[in-house]
Amino acid sequence: MACLLICCATLMAQQRLEQRNADGTFSPVGTDGRQDSVPKSDGKTVPQGLHVWTVDERFGDQKPAVVDTLQHMFMNHAYMSGPRGEYNTTGNLGAPRQSRIFVDRPISAQFPFTQPYDYFNTQPSQFHFTNTLSPITNLTYEECGDKNNGEDHLRALFAVNAGKQLGVGFKFDYLYGRGSFQEQNTAHFNYSLYGSYLGDRYQAHLLLSTNHQKVTENGGIGNDNYVTHPEIYDDDFRDDEIPTVLSSNWNRNDNQHVFLTHRYSVGFNRKVPMNEEEIKARKFAIEAKKEEEQRKNKGRQPAFEGRPDDAKIAGDEPANPQQPADNNRIAVSGKQMADSLIAADKKAAEDTAWVKNEYVPVTSFIHTLKLDNYKRVYQAYETPADFYLNSYDLTEKYGNDSIYDRFRHTNMVNTLAISLLEGFNKWVPAGLKGFVASDLRHFEMPDTVAFGSSSFNEHSLSVGGQLIRTQGSLLHYSAMLETWVLGEDAGQLKFDASADVNFRFLGDTVRLAARGYIYRLQPTFFHRKYQSRHLWWNNDRLDKETRTRLEGLFSYEKTNTQLRVAFDNIKNYTYLSQQYSVGEDYRRTGNTVQVMQCPDAISLLTLQLSQDFHLGPLNWETQLTYQKSSDNKVLPVPDFNVYSNLYFNFRIAKVLRMHLGADVRYFTKYEAPDYCPYVGQFCVQGNGDNNLEIGNYPIVNVYVNMHLKRTRFYVAMSHVNQGDGGNRFLVPHYPLRGRTLRLGVSWNFIN
């Protein structure tokens, strides 16, 4: 508990949803602009407010996001299985994972070794840029276990603004998982610096990040019976006493990233009415200025208090009172006319006081740079006899038992685009973009003949365009087409489309959304070529993979209902398959991995229902997912995946918000993908009769989740239903951690 006193918190106590305005700024939903500053009445109040958004990797378009400060389900972000238990994982903090919901899996990247760590390696399109009214620091710390098997996760975020347009910050993320089983340690470091400039004509976003990741690979436990049937053993084995397959084996990933997107816009200026927030701020500033002037003039006697109506002017009267005076104002001869002119001047001043000058961008010239540098090393000092099926001799360099496979990849993508922006004219309801992108790729792999490394270079050039509408409240849509015309990827095609309609029904908003895509892509480089000590393939003749998806979403907030329907069709599905032999002593020998391609079309249907119920303080939230694959040997998925959360929501002493409850994760049995430590990837089981099924095992957690002012904290007991035996696996041969007490705190500091 002492560790809890060290740390830390949320970025805001409450949430503000925001929308993007025509000028690229953000405002609370339901307004046309945003309040750029909060007036200070006494010079002591610290203004509070934080806006966050993500940017599109292609064009740098800003998309409103929600700050991660919700109390709801805060405790579930500590689990590698995901907030709703939808991921398969080898069990330890910092371990690799893969979603059981196929529609949520990303398409394989050119460097796939970091994809199983998507919870840690944040992509630029998912990174939160910030604009804050005052410096904000957030610290979050979570822990469980002890010094032998504990887990620690520390995150720190700092954000500050230099004026209204320039925002900068940094993020630090460190996790260390000792593991409850042998040879399972993990350690991940992330450092990220970011900045944004949002001017009227020029806008830019910059993100610099570096990651160091180390995962100790144990190959799973030596015999599943230690967990599933412990009664057959004379001794009672603790988790850390169960033998594992590998020792002194590691996967190391080091990667650095630079992301820059900037644009220059040309347009025009126009006068527009202020929104309610801006009017309030302007009125406050006027009153503050008056008070300041009165304070300065306090005690001074004015030189002239005014003239009575019947007072005479000393000296000569003007010769012609109808002629303009020296101050270019019309001279008046009567009090009534003078009062009329004063009233007119006052009205004119009021009419112009509540309008602002707005710059409306019409055309933007966009440049985006994405530079990624990856290094992956698989290192092993000891390997069981006959563990690998093939061996490509490197003994002269590394010795009989040592493995040191090193892979490098550098990728630089430059995109130039021209955008005709939506919103500058009521007759132009959509925006239009055109772009050209250059992709340079470099790869290095071990050369098992020359005891060095082999290098490969690829280049491709693509062109495309996008039609998009994001403004308005009724209809939004987007359609983007990209085709590759030169280089290694010539002939590839990507078409994405989405639309949503929002309308009122029985006093609330109904949202209907649809999206889909057609992709025709060639397999990635490491699917086509791979060289290492124990694996080698050259698949230049692989066909292009064609993927088609149609997806619909129905959402009705009044009943807290969301229905998701998706249909996938994949031709020439490309995947990894792992095979090995299992002996009488349960030893796994002859391990190998192959790239497979299914020429037949595979279809997959996904139905997902999310339903929440509230009755006073009682809350029940459930997400049920049904999946049906036409080929469960090639594309295995569980028929049902369930998450359910039952809790009480109440306050103590009107200030401490409590969520007290329990949740459960469950999925039906299926031949789940195996994990191969040698490639650091999840692979389809290809062992025939030795394939294993996992699932049909509920995992129950209980928790108390609390929120006090700027602080969130929780106490949770995970896997409370652990008992003797049971199929407690999310990945074949990798058992889940047992019953564990977990603590977490998040604290927000506003300077």
Side-chain angles (χ1 to χ4, degrees):
M1 186 64 70
C3 296
L4 295 178
L5 301 178
I6 301 175
C7 317
C8 331
T10 73
L11 293 176
M12 292 175 65
Q14 296 180 347
Q15 297 294 315
R16 272 183 84 179
L17 296 179
E18 301 165 4
Q19 64 185 14
R20 182 174 184 267
N21 304 310
D23 61 356
T25 61
F26 291 88
S27 64
V29 172
T31 65
D32 297 322
R34 68 180 173 94
Q35 181 180 346
D36 291 322
S37 63
V38 172
K40 303 177 184 180
S41 58
D42 56 5
K44 300 179 181 179
T45 302
V46 178
Q48 298 183 25
L50 177 67
H51 304 271
V52 299
W53 64 93
T54 61
V55 296
D56 178 75
E57 289 189 22
R58 175 75 70 187
F59 304 113
D61 292 337
Q62 302 166 36
K63 301 177 182 179
V66 178
V67 186
D68 181 21
T69 60
L70 290 176
Q71 176 190 5
H72 181 241
M73 296 181 69
F74 169 49
M75 67 289 168
N76 282 5
H77 291 278
Y79 304 122
M80 292 298 98
S81 58
R84 291 179 172 82
E86 65 271 35
Y87 286 87
N88 287 346
T89 175
T90 56
N92 189 28
L93 179 70
R97 71 178 190 179
Q98 184 186 57
S99 178
R100 286 191 298 275
I101 313 301
F102 180 78
V103 294
D104 292 335
R105 294 182 194 173
I107 293 178
S108 183
Q110 291 292 342
F111 195 80
F113 306 109
T114 58
Q115 280 192 287
Y117 307 97
D118 58 351
Y119 56 87
F120 191 81
N121 298 319
T122 304
Q123 296 299 314
S125 61
Q126 299 171 335
F127 190 88
H128 284 187
F129 290 87
T130 60
N131 190 317
T132 177
L133 299 179
S134 58
I136 289 181
T137 303
N138 170 254
L139 295 174
T140 301
Y141 178 74
E142 297 168 287
E143 70 162 2
C144 73
D146 54 31
K147 64 180 182 180
N148 296 318
N149 62 12
E151 300 174 355
D152 297 277
H153 193 182
L154 174 64
R155 287 167 289 174
L157 175 69
F158 175 76
V160 66
N161 260 62
K164 301 174 184 179
Q165 297 173 326
L166 179 62
V168 296
F170 72 83
K171 186 186 78 168
F172 171 73
D173 197 348
Y174 166 70
L175 63 82
Y176 181 61
R178 299 165 183 84
S180 58
F181 294 87
Q182 299 179 33
E183 303 289 336
Q184 206 180 24
N185 293 32
T186 60
H188 297 342
F189 292 88
N190 166 264
Y191 305 92
S192 296
L193 295 173
Y194 67 92
S196 63
Y197 178 83
L198 302 178
D200 288 337
R201 292 171 174 81
Y202 181 74
Q203 297 183 355
H205 293 83
L206 176 65
L207 173 62
L208 308 174
S209 62
T210 181
N211 298 292
H212 171 73
Q213 299 169 264
K214 178 181 177 181
V215 177
T216 307
E217 303 285 6
N218 63 15
I221 60 176
N223 191 330
D224 290 357
N225 287 324
Y226 285 111
V227 171
T228 57
H229 298 93
E231 68 278 1
I232 67 176
Y233 297 97
D234 295 333
D235 296 329
D236 185 13
F237 288 89
R238 299 195 313 265
D239 285 352
D240 59 358
E241 295 175 335
I242 296 176
T244 58
V245 174
L246 299 176
S247 61
S248 301
N249 284 242
W250 300 273
N251 260 310
R252 291 185 172 92
N253 283 296
D254 290 278
N255 46 90
Q256 300 82 37
H257 309 275
V258 177
F259 174 75
L260 169 67
T261 178
H262 56 144
R263 64 173 63 194
Y264 183 82
S265 301
V266 295
F268 59 90
N269 289 282
R270 66 183 177 188
K271 297 289 186 179
V272 296
M274 292 183 179
N275 60 49
E276 185 178 348
E277 293 290 333
E278 291 169 325
I279 291 176
K280 289 181 180 179
R282 175 67 65 85
K283 287 182 177 179
F284 189 94
I286 292 174
E287 293 298 326
K289 185 176 180 181
K290 288 181 179 179
E291 291 178 2
E292 180 67 16
E293 291 177 351
Q294 292 175 359
R295 185 185 63 80
K296 290 181 179 179
N297 295 327
K298 188 176 181 180
R300 299 179 184 176
Q301 190 68 24
F304 180 67
E305 293 291 346
R307 176 167 65 94
D309 293 340
D310 57 351
K312 299 295 184 179
I313 298 177
D316 297 332
E317 293 284 344
N320 186 357
Q322 300 301 323
Q323 294 298 322
D326 292 341
N327 61 0
N328 295 322
R329 294 185 60 86
I330 298 175
V332 294
S333 57
K335 181 177 182 299
Q336 184 176 3
M337 184 176 292
D339 292 341
S340 176
L341 288 176
I342 292 172
D345 288 345
K346 183 177 180 181
K347 183 177 185 304
E350 290 178 350
D351 289 342
T352 58
W354 313 124
V355 297
K356 64 179 180 178
N357 187 52
E358 179 185 70
Y359 182 76
V360 182
V362 176
T363 303
S364 292
F365 301 92
I366 304 168
H367 171 241
T368 297
L369 168 67
K370 191 170 184 286
L371 179 62
D372 302 308
N373 181 50
Y374 297 93
K375 176 185 174 183
R376 183 242 179 182
V377 172
Y378 184 79
Q379 186 176 6
Y381 293 148
E382 298 178 12
T383 303
D386 303 323
F387 185 74
Y388 294 106
L389 179 65
N390 300 308
S391 181
Y392 304 94
D393 192 14
L394 286 175
T395 56
E396 294 183 17
K397 186 173 183 180
Y398 300 123
N400 291 326
D401 295 328
S402 297
I403 302 173
Y404 191 85
D405 290 340
R406 186 178 66 181
F407 301 83
R408 290 184 179 272
H409 170 50
T410 303
N411 186 40
M412 183 173 67
V413 180
N414 277 283
T415 302
L416 296 175
I418 299 178
S419 174
L420 302 178
L421 302 177
E422 61 175 313
F424 71 90
N425 190 295
K426 65 179 181 179
W427 305 111
V428 184
L432 182 64
K433 299 184 181 76
F435 68 90
V436 57
S438 170
D439 188 353
L440 290 172
R441 302 191 291 260
H442 174 76
F443 302 90
E444 293 182 15
M445 294 187 295
D447 188 331
T448 59
V449 178
F451 305 117
S453 62
S454 299
S455 298
F456 305 87
N457 295 307
E458 295 182 348
H459 174 255
S460 64
L461 187 72
S462 66
V463 297
Q466 182 187 41
L467 181 69
I468 185 171
R469 174 184 170 86
T470 61
Q471 296 183 11
S473 59
L474 178 62
L475 174 66
H476 312 106
Y477 55 81
S478 173
M480 187 169 75
L481 175 67
E482 181 178 13
T483 182
W484 281 256
V485 294
L486 293 175
E488 189 70 26
D489 298 333
Q492 284 191 160
L493 176 72
K494 293 180 71 174
F495 175 73
D496 293 88
S498 63
D500 66 81
V501 179
N502 304 274
F503 58 91
R504 302 288 292 179
F505 180 72
L506 296 179
D508 213 327
T509 300
V510 174
R511 185 169 189 263
L512 297 176
R515 56 191 173 196
Y517 64 69
I518 300 175
Y519 292 169
R520 186 173 182 268
L521 306 175
Q522 76 165 338
T524 61
F525 176 83
F526 285 108
H527 280 148
R528 290 178 277 123
K529 292 183 176 66
Y530 196 88
Q531 297 174 190
S532 65
R533 178 164 182 176
H534 296 291
L535 294 176
W536 183 297
W537 59 72
N538 190 350
N539 299 319
D540 287 333
R541 295 184 179 181
L542 289 176
D543 295 324
K544 287 184 172 61
E545 181 181 276
T546 302
R547 294 191 178 209
T548 304
R549 174 176 296 171
L550 295 175
E551 184 176 355
L553 181 70
F554 167 83
S555 178
Y556 188 40
E557 295 183 4
K558 189 171 186 178
T559 60
N560 297 305
T561 302
Q562 188 177 90
L563 177 63
R564 182 185 185 191
V565 181
F567 180 78
D568 288 85
N569 186 276
I570 310 174
K571 184 175 176 57
N572 297 324
Y573 178 57
T574 307
Y575 60 98
L576 297 177
S577 175
Q578 178 173 245
Q579 302 91 36
Y580 47 79
S581 300
V582 180
E584 293 182 358
D585 57 354
Y586 205 76
R587 289 184 63 244
R588 300 190 287 277
T589 60
N591 284 264
T592 188
V593 173
Q594 296 178 326
V595 176
M596 310 291 287
Q597 193 170 67
C598 179
D600 299 327
I602 301 174
S603 60
L604 179 73
L605 175 66
T606 304
L607 302 174
Q608 187 175 80
L609 174 65
S610 299
Q611 180 63 64
D612 299 344
F613 297 100
H614 306 286
L615 181 60
L618 183 63
N619 295 263
W620 184 22
E621 303 164 351
T622 300
Q623 185 178 89
L624 173 63
T625 305
Y626 171 77
Q627 298 178 100
K628 186 61 178 178
S629 172
S630 62
D631 192 337
N632 261 318
K633 294 295 183 182
V634 174
L635 184 55
V637 291
D639 288 341
F640 289 97
N641 193 88
V642 181
Y643 173 79
S644 191
N645 183 20
L646 183 66
Y647 64 97
F648 288 94
N649 182 1
F650 58 94
R651 290 183 185 271
I652 296 179
K654 297 183 180 181
V655 293
L656 179 61
R657 170 77 65 181
M658 302 279 288
H659 290 177
L660 176 63
D663 59 5
V664 60
R665 303 143 179 81
Y666 172 85
F667 60 93
T668 53
K669 274 192 173 184
Y670 78 115
E671 292 183 2
D674 208 344
Y675 175 72
C676 177
Y678 192 57
V679 294
Q681 299 292 296
F682 289 91
C683 310
V684 172
Q685 297 185 58
N687 306 314
D689 294 337
N690 290 322
N691 285 0
L692 293 177
E693 286 189 340
I694 63 171
N696 194 27
Y697 180 83
I699 304 167
V700 180
N701 300 340
V702 296
Y703 63 88
V704 54
N705 181 20
M706 293 158 280
H707 187 197
L708 178 63
K709 294 185 177 180
R710 299 175 185 171
T711 306
R712 296 177 296 171
F713 49 101
Y714 70 83
V715 178
M717 182 68 76
S718 62
H719 201 178
V720 295
N721 59 313
Q722 177 199 1
D724 293 336
N727 192 8
R728 57 180 177 111
F729 297 86
L730 295 182
V731 173
H733 315 304
Y734 288 86
L736 286 174
R737 190 184 187 103
R739 188 183 299 111
T740 306
L741 178 67
R742 297 177 180 271
L743 308 172
V745 60
S746 182
W747 199 343
N748 183 53
F749 302 90
I750 299 178
N751 305 87

